[in-house]
């Protein structure tokens, strides 16, 4: 999961949890508040009215100090009043959903649950004979609270969505420089453009500091690579000249020598000199292939070129009694490629197959056409490689077993091959098993 997604998920969950906690707290406190408020209201209103009430035996009920014509209202502020005389209803009517079986309890708030509502009942003696009973339904307060809760439930997801949208925009802007860094790093890795740098706005934040630090690191890497390239190129060129001079002098001395007993010594020296020249040539080729630019692609018959390459290796293979088979179902296949690089790729692969296949071995080169690609497989039953060696096979100067390797190799053949394959926009894969042979598969586009 991406960091941006993790932040948004955490952000959203945090909001949901906060809203849920807020609603639970609101629900608890509101219920307590409603209960306390309704209880206080019914007690205060009923006690105040009971003090001001005058009740006559003829049934007239009015307020003290008021006009006797002003009759008592039995519904006031949503409170229903009933007057009892000696535990019997004297005046007024109880709500229809309440049964008249609750005993009078002076100054005690009673709760009655009906199918439709919850009622608070409060009794206040007016005098020794009469008692004022109040009925107060909590349904209205509960309905208001439920409406508020419902609106909170409706608007909470909308609020979360709006918050997440805003958070996404902010996070996207914050991570934009990181996407730029990733894109630049991938470009440097695949294209090997070590002079590329990360572009960024100097906003004085942590991301800017990171980008600046990476650019400084890239500067150091580029300088190190330039030093390595310069050293390798210079050393290779500096070695080639004295080796050529040395060869010429040895061949001259050999031609002037009349002692045939020394011929073998001269031949041994020249042989070792050839090894050194080969190593220097490999080193120069490796440097060139790392920086070679494909000038132009041209049409080439891949079937014919591979056939020619195989024929050129048959004398070398016959010395070890190795059979080379060429398997293909096409008479010709024209592809667009850089011919020199193509030839060098399969020259290296066939050469390795011959070199590391035991006498009386077998090499099979298979060519087939994909949808838009050429697929060539070079398979041998030679010494093979371990998985650890496969993982490092394309590393420059890596040799699976230095004690067994020929001394005229620097271990850069596969590295050169991989560089050339990638220059041709292709891929190369190695599959191998120790003592059971190796299969190298190269895939190249037919048209560029």
């Amino acid at each position: 999961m991406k960091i941006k997604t993790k932040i948004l998920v955490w952000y959203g969950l945090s909001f949901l949890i906060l809203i849920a906690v807020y609603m639970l707290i609101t629900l608890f406190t509101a219920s307590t508040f409603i209960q306390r408020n309704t209880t206080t209201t019914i007690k205060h209103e009923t006690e105040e009215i009971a003090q001001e009430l005058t009740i006559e035996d003829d049934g007239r009920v009015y307020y003290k100090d008021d006009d006797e014509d002003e009759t008592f209202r039995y519904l006031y502020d949503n409170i229903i009043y009933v007057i009892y005389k000696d535990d019997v209803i004297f005046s007024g009517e109880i709500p229809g959903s309440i049964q008249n079986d609750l005993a009078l309890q002076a100054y005690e708030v009673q709760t009655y649950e009906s199918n439709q509502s919850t009622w608070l009942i409060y009794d206040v003696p007016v005098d020794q004979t009469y008692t004022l009973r109040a009925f107060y339904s909590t349904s209205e307060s509960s309905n208001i609270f439920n409406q508020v809760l419902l609106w909170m439930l409706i608007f909470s997801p909308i609020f979360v969505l709006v918050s997440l949208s805003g958070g996404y925009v902010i996070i996207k802007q914050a991570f934009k420089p990181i996407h730029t860094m990733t894109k630049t790093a991938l470009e440097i890795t695949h294209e090997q453009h070590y002079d590329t740098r990360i572009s960024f706005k100097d906003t004085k934040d942590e991301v800017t500091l990171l980008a600046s630090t990476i650019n400084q690191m890239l500067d150091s890497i580029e300088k190190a690579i330039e030093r390595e390239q310069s050293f390798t190129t210079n050393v290779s060129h500096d070695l080639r000249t004295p080796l050529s001079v040395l060869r010429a002098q040895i061949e001259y001395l050999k031609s002037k020598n009349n002692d045939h007993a020394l011929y073998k010594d001269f031949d041994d020296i020249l042989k070792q000199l050839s090894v050194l020249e080969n190593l220097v040539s490999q080193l120069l080729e490796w440097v060139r292939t790392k920086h070679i630019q494909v000038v132009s692609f041209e049409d080439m018959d891949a079937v014919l070129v591979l056939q020619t390459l195989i024929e050129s290796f048959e004398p070398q293979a016959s010395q070890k009694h190795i059979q080379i088979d060429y398997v293909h179902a096409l008479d010709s296949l024209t592809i667009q490629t850089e011919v020199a690089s193509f030839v060098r790729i399969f020259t290296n692969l066939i050469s390795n197959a011959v070199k590391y296949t035991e006498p009386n071995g077998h090499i099979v080169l298979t060519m087939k056409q994909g949808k838009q690609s050429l697929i060539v497989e070079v398979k041998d039953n030679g010494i093979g490689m371990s998985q650890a060696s496969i993982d490092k096979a394309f590393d420059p100067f890596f040799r699976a077993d230095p004690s067994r390797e020929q001394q005229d190799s620097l271990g850069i053949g596969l590295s050169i091959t991989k560089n050339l394959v990638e220059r041709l926009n292709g891929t190369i894969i190695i599959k191998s098993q120790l003592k059971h042979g190796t299969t190298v598969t190269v895939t190249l586009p037919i048209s560029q």
Side-chain angles (χ1 to χ4, degrees):
M1 185 183 292
K2 295 182 178 179
I3 296 177
K4 182 167 62 177
T5 305
K6 290 180 180 179
I7 293 175
L8 286 175
V9 170
W10 172 252
Y11 191 64
L13 288 176
S14 299
F15 261 107
L16 289 174
I17 292 172
L18 286 174
I19 291 173
V21 171
Y22 174 74
M23 293 181 68
L24 287 174
I25 294 174
T26 302
L27 180 64
F28 175 77
T29 55
S31 299
T32 304
F33 174 77
I34 291 173
Q35 181 70 23
R36 186 183 299 115
N37 184 63
T38 52
T39 301
T40 302
T41 300
I42 191 173
K43 290 173 67 175
H44 174 75
E45 295 292 336
T46 305
E47 290 174 0
E48 184 176 345
I49 290 175
Q51 291 177 0
E52 299 177 358
L53 206 58
T54 297
I55 303 173
E56 300 291 348
D57 291 338
D58 58 5
R60 289 182 299 116
V61 180
Y62 54 90
Y63 293 103
K64 295 177 181 178
D65 302 327
D66 285 343
D67 187 354
E68 293 185 6
D69 292 336
E70 183 180 355
T71 58
F72 172 67
R73 289 177 295 172
Y74 290 92
L75 177 62
Y76 186 77
D77 285 345
N78 294 321
I79 301 177
I80 299 174
Y81 295 101
V82 177
I83 298 175
Y84 283 77
K85 181 179 180 181
D86 297 329
D87 297 337
V88 178
I89 294 178
F90 174 75
S91 178
E93 295 182 358
I94 65 174
S97 60
I98 298 179
Q99 297 181 1
N100 187 26
D101 56 357
L102 290 177
L104 297 175
Q105 295 184 15
Y107 302 108
E108 292 288 337
V109 178
Q110 302 181 69
T111 302
Y112 184 88
E113 298 285 348
S114 68
N115 294 332
Q116 297 153 349
S117 179
T118 299
W119 293 86
L120 297 182
I121 301 174
Y122 189 60
D123 302 322
V124 178
V126 178
D127 53 31
Q128 293 181 350
T129 303
Y130 297 99
T131 300
L132 180 63
R133 167 166 281 187
F135 298 88
Y136 189 18
S137 174
T138 62
S139 60
E140 183 175 354
S141 299
S142 298
N143 288 338
I144 294 174
F145 172 70
N146 291 336
Q147 287 292 330
V148 173
L149 191 62
L150 178 62
W151 284 111
M152 289 177 63
L153 288 173
I154 293 173
F155 282 102
S156 292
I158 298 176
F159 176 72
V160 172
L161 288 175
V162 172
S163 300
L164 285 177
S165 300
Y168 175 78
V169 173
I170 295 172
I171 293 171
K172 184 178 180 180
Q173 290 298 320
F175 276 79
K176 192 174 181 179
I178 297 179
H179 289 303
T180 303
M181 294 181 199
T182 304
K183 184 179 179 181
T184 303
L186 290 174
E187 179 183 347
I188 294 172
T189 301
H190 295 301
E191 303 297 332
Q192 296 186 357
H193 293 164
Y194 296 106
D195 58 342
T196 304
R197 296 294 179 268
I198 298 170
S199 59
F200 60 91
K201 295 181 180 179
D202 191 5
T203 54
K204 306 297 183 182
D205 58 10
E206 291 82 356
V207 176
T208 299
L209 178 61
L210 176 61
S212 176
T213 304
I214 292 177
N215 281 342
Q216 293 175 14
M217 179 185 69
L218 290 174
D219 289 338
S220 300
I221 293 174
E222 183 182 12
K223 291 177 181 178
I225 291 175
E226 289 177 350
R227 287 195 298 269
E228 177 262 334
Q229 293 170 355
S230 177
F231 171 78
T232 305
T233 304
N234 292 336
V235 167
S236 300
H237 281 291
D238 291 344
L239 285 175
R240 172 170 280 188
T241 301
L243 286 175
S244 299
V245 173
L246 186 60
R247 170 176 287 278
Q249 290 177 342
I250 293 174
E251 288 177 347
Y252 176 77
L253 291 174
K254 179 181 177 183
S255 65
K256 294 296 183 180
N257 178 53
N258 294 322
D259 187 354
H260 293 282
L262 296 176
Y263 275 14
K264 184 178 183 302
D265 294 331
F266 281 116
D267 289 338
D268 289 341
I269 294 172
L270 289 172
K271 184 178 180 181
Q272 293 302 318
L273 192 59
S274 296
V275 171
L276 288 175
E277 289 174 336
N278 184 41
L279 293 177
V280 171
S281 296
Q282 289 182 43
L283 199 57
L284 280 172
E285 183 181 12
W286 176 68
V287 173
R288 284 196 298 267
T289 56
K290 286 181 66 178
H291 306 286
I292 189 173
Q293 296 295 329
V294 177
V295 178
S296 62
F297 294 100
E298 56 184 295
D299 292 341
M300 183 199 75
D301 186 350
V303 177
L304 179 61
V305 172
L306 290 175
Q307 178 68 51
T308 303
L309 284 175
I310 291 173
E311 291 174 356
S312 69
F313 277 96
E314 283 180 349
Q316 182 180 344
S318 63
Q319 293 178 3
K320 297 175 65 176
H321 304 288
I322 296 173
Q323 179 181 348
I324 303 179
D325 290 332
Y326 183 25
V327 180
H328 61 91
L330 302 171
D331 293 333
S332 65
L333 177 62
T334 300
I335 67 171
Q336 289 181 334
T337 188
E338 204 279 318
V339 179
S341 296
F342 183 92
V343 171
R344 186 57 177 156
I345 289 168
F346 293 101
T347 298
N348 286 351
L349 295 179
I350 298 173
S351 174
N352 281 347
V354 174
K355 184 185 297 184
Y356 298 114
T357 298
E358 300 290 350
N360 301 311
H362 188 204
I363 298 172
V364 179
L365 191 147
T366 304
M367 191 200 77
K368 55 186 176 181
Q369 181 179 358
K371 283 187 177 181
Q372 297 293 331
S373 62
L374 166 71
I375 303 171
V376 181
E377 180 182 275
V378 181
K379 183 178 181 180
D380 64 62
N381 61 349
I383 60 177
M385 291 186 291
S386 65
Q387 185 59 49
S389 296
I390 294 175
D391 294 339
K392 298 179 179 179
F394 296 118
D395 293 349
F397 309 106
F398 172 76
R399 293 192 289 182
D401 188 355
S403 63
R404 187 173 57 189
E405 286 276 4
Q406 296 184 16
Q407 296 303 312
D408 61 348
S409 173
L410 288 172
I412 57 178
L414 284 176
S415 177
I416 292 173
T417 303
K418 184 173 185 291
N419 288 338
L420 292 174
V421 170
E422 290 178 348
R423 293 293 178 184
L424 299 180
N425 301 314
T427 59
I428 181 169
I429 298 174
I430 295 179
K431 294 182 180 180
S432 184
Q433 187 175 357
L434 201 60
K435 298 182 181 180
H436 288 81
T438 301
T439 300
V440 182
T441 303
V442 176
T443 303
L444 297 172
I446 291 178
S447 59
Q448 298 287 350

